[in-house]
Amino acid sequence: MAVKKEIIPGIKIKKAELETVCGITSSFPENIHPEFAFAGKSNVGKSSLINALMQRKSLARTSATPGKTQTINFYHVNDEFYLVDLPGYGFTKANESVRAKWGKMVERYLKKTKQLQKVFLLVDMRHKPTADDCMMYDWIVHNGYTPIVIATKLDKLKTNEIPKAKKLIRETLGMDKDGILIPFSSESKKGREEVYDILKAFLVDRNV
């Protein structure tokens, strides 16, 4: 039986492709459609999240070597909006100069893009957010966005461990009490509908 590719009521995934790959020295595309960016440390599950959202197995490319991806990838969906995969941070084997270049590239994107609607920050729900996670959260805020936090690896926790994990994430990142935190599992797809609702809120305004 074919999988019904419907992510938002009334919208079917008819087209989803990697359209633009930007490196450290690249100019960013001047897109006319809204962009939704995803940030997170290496191995937090960004590619798995994007694939789960689009109900595809390999839309987002993964690397066998953590920290190897040094590009910002723009995935165009239905010729209507973009999912933007930012390079992973916090990989200890990447030298300081490389990490600095990645940081400058991401900062340039956050400051230069005209179509960015929301920034999603992924953290590993199994652990306390790292110093890099906290720095990225503050950095996103500094650049004028309120991060939506997605706590990945939900399926790795027991049900009674979830409230404590959510509380720890909120406190460590310094989230406002009304800040959005979405527990997510790429295995069960739990949390996907909440992400869809956020996308829909912006897409509906554009008569998608």
Side-chain angles (χ1 to χ4, degrees), residues 10 46 65 73-74 79 87 90-91 99 110 123-124 132 151 163 169 172:
K46 282 194 287 89
T65 304
N73 300 330
F74 293 77
D79 293 324
F91 185 55
R99 292 200 299 269
L110 294 178
V123 298
D124 190 330
D132 285 329
I169 291 171
T172 305

Side-chain angles (χ1 to χ4, degrees), residues 12-147:
K12 293 183 179 180
I13 298 298
K14 299 177 181 179
K15 180 180 180 182
E17 62 182 2
L18 176 60
E19 182 177 277
T20 308
V21 176
C22 293
I24 292 172
T25 60
S26 301
S27 297
F28 297 124
E30 295 184 3
N31 295 322
I32 62 173
H33 296 134
E35 299 171 4
F36 303 91
F38 295 82
K41 66 182 180 182
S42 300
N43 282 347
V44 75
K46 282 194 287 89
S47 295
S48 296
L49 170 70
I50 292 174
N51 288 331
L53 289 176
M54 296 296 98
Q55 301 183 17
R56 305 292 175 87
K57 292 183 178 180
S58 57
L59 173 65
R61 301 183 300 183
T62 58
S63 172
T65 304
K68 185 176 181 179
T69 302
Q70 301 178 27
T71 57
I72 296 179
N73 300 330
F74 293 77
Y75 297 93
H76 205 185
V77 182
N78 287 354
D79 293 324
E80 295 168 341
F81 65 96
Y82 290 87
L83 299 183
V84 182
D85 187 3
L86 302 178
Y89 57 82
F91 185 55
T92 56
K93 290 186 179 180
N95 64 51
E96 186 174 346
S97 64
V98 170
R99 292 200 299 269
K101 289 179 180 178
W102 293 357
K104 289 180 180 179
M105 177 170 62
V106 173
E107 184 175 27
R108 183 163 58 91
Y109 168 71
L110 294 178
K111 289 183 176 180
K112 296 292 185 180
T113 181
K114 297 178 181 179
Q115 296 296 339
L116 183 58
Q117 306 299 313
K118 280 292 181 181
V119 181
F120 295 84
L121 176 62
L122 279 63
V123 298
D124 190 330
M125 196 171 192
R126 300 171 298 175
H127 310 294
K128 179 180 179 180
T130 66
D132 285 329
D133 290 328
C134 295
M135 185 180 299
M136 190 65 189
Y137 183 91
D138 292 340
W139 196 18
I140 294 170
V141 172
H142 177 73
N143 281 280
Y145 299 92
T146 301

